[in-house]
Amino acid sequence: MPIHSVNGVNIFYEISGSGALPVVMVHGSWSSHHGWDQVAPRFSESFRVMRYDRRGHSQSDRPPGQDSVLEDVADLAALIEHFELGPAWIVSNSFGTSITLRLVGDRPDLFRGLIGHEPPVLSVLGGDPQFESLLEDEERKFRLVAERIAAGDHEGGAEQFVETVALGPGSWSNLPPEMRETLTHNAPTFLNEVRDPDALVFDPEWVSDFDKPALFTRGTESPPMFTSVVEKVAAAFPDVELATFQGAGHIPHVTHPDVYAEKVSHFIIKHEA
């Protein structure tokens, strides 16, 4: 299986397609490169696509100790440079978008453009009284999930996250068995993310000079906080477009792959033209 050593960690990756335009896919918390399975073949018809398992996820190494989002940012930059994919279109979901937002600030030269769905950078809601109770509720949910993982109940923690944070009540049993297995396996890395003081932070100054196109998306069935988070993050970009996936939630590339792939591909092609 393809493995590349990045910053002292073995990272699983997959590259497909022979198009001239590079597209790099960054998955969110709990997931793996398989989260893109339903859309990657569509993108590979037109683009050169790289997807990978972030450190601590699935087939990549899980180093001991406390991980940091800053390490994820460094890994992404190193992969793009090693495979000579930059500047690339970077397509990301959830915490993967949190990573790419930081990379914009560190290495804007690696981007042709950014496409992100619902980054959990809850810091953008801080200090606003209308979001105070919402943030307290989300903090409580994250804490309860983290407590179950820390106690060794990885499957229980994964189920609780899916049903109380990401997708809603009853959704765990509707997930394919292989997806539930992936979420359970990757639970310890989510615990690291919860404990990382930098994980939920976004500074608009990181992106205020970004001169490439950006697309941020949200789903009508996602937790309500994401509507406000996406709007506040998008407002920091000079050249940005917002899109909403009707009937979709936090993982539209899984639940609505055709609509997602069409929107993202159209955005890339439009700006390349």
Side-chain angles (χ1 to χ4, degrees):
M1 72 182 174
I3 292 287
H4 177 60
S5 181
V6 173
N7 301 318
V9 176
N10 290 323
I11 298 291
F12 174 88
Y13 69 92
E14 181 178 285
I15 296 178
S16 59
S18 57
L21 292 176
V23 171
V24 178
M25 296 178 159
V26 189
H27 68 77
S29 300
W30 303 89
S31 188
S32 73
H33 78 284
H34 284 301
W36 302 104
D37 279 355
Q38 295 189 70
V39 296
R42 293 168 170 83
F43 290 119
S44 296
E45 294 174 0
S46 304
F47 311 119
R48 187 180 183 212
V49 177
M50 185 185 77
R51 49 188 175 138
Y52 67 104
D53 292 344
R54 289 171 36 223
R55 63 167 60 214
H57 294 81
S58 295
Q59 297 178 72
S60 292
D61 285 350
R62 180 179 296 150
Q66 174 64 50
D67 286 337
S68 166
V69 64
L70 304 180
E71 293 171 325
D72 275 303
V73 174
D75 291 347
L76 176 56
L79 285 168
I80 293 172
E81 290 188 316
H82 176 77
F83 293 107
E84 299 181 346
L85 296 172
W89 285 93
I90 302 183
V91 179
S92 54
N93 176 257
S94 190
F95 194 74
T97 305
S98 301
I99 293 166
T100 60
L101 288 172
R102 284 183 172 270
L103 186 62
V104 167
D106 291 348
R107 295 292 307 276
D109 59 298
L110 296 179
F111 289 80
R112 298 181 76 89
L114 164 63
I115 299 166
H117 186 77
E118 298 182 347
V121 285
L122 302 185
S123 68
V124 301
L125 305 181
D128 191 329
Q130 68 174 314
F131 297 115
E132 185 175 345
S133 61
L134 183 149
L135 290 173
E136 290 176 354
D137 187 51
E138 291 303 314
E139 182 182 351
R140 178 186 61 82
K141 292 175 182 177
F142 276 47
R143 184 176 65 253
L144 292 175
V145 170
E147 287 174 356
R148 293 189 73 165
I149 299 172
D153 184 8
H154 295 177
E155 183 175 2
E159 179 178 358
Q160 187 163 340
F161 178 83
V162 167
E163 302 226 338
T164 65
V165 178
L167 301 180
S171 53
W172 176 258
S173 61
N174 293 326
L175 295 177
E178 60 272 16
M179 185 176 291
R180 295 199 298 266
E181 182 179 345
T182 296
L183 295 170
T184 299
H185 176 81
N186 293 335
T189 302
F190 179 75
L191 181 61
N192 271 341
E193 291 173 2
V194 170
R195 292 172 171 173
D196 179 7
D198 293 316
L200 305 182
V201 175
F202 171 70
D203 184 345
E205 290 297 319
W206 298 341
V207 304
S208 60
D209 294 327
F210 188 61
D211 61 354
K212 315 293 175 57
L215 168 67
F216 288 96
T217 61
R218 53 197 173 186
T220 58
E221 305 307 306
S222 293
M225 65 176 178
F226 282 118
T227 294
S228 299
V229 169
V230 168
E231 289 175 352
K232 287 180 177 292
V233 169
F237 281 78
D239 181 6
V240 68
E241 183 177 319
L242 278 172
T244 301
F245 294 116
Q246 296 294 325
H250 197 50
I251 48 174
H253 54 295
V254 175
T255 61
H256 295 67
D258 293 333
V259 175
Y260 180 86
E262 180 180 0
K263 179 62 183 177
V264 172
S265 296
H266 176 75
F267 183 81
I268 293 174
I269 293 169
K270 176 179 71 172
H271 284 278
E272 288 295 337

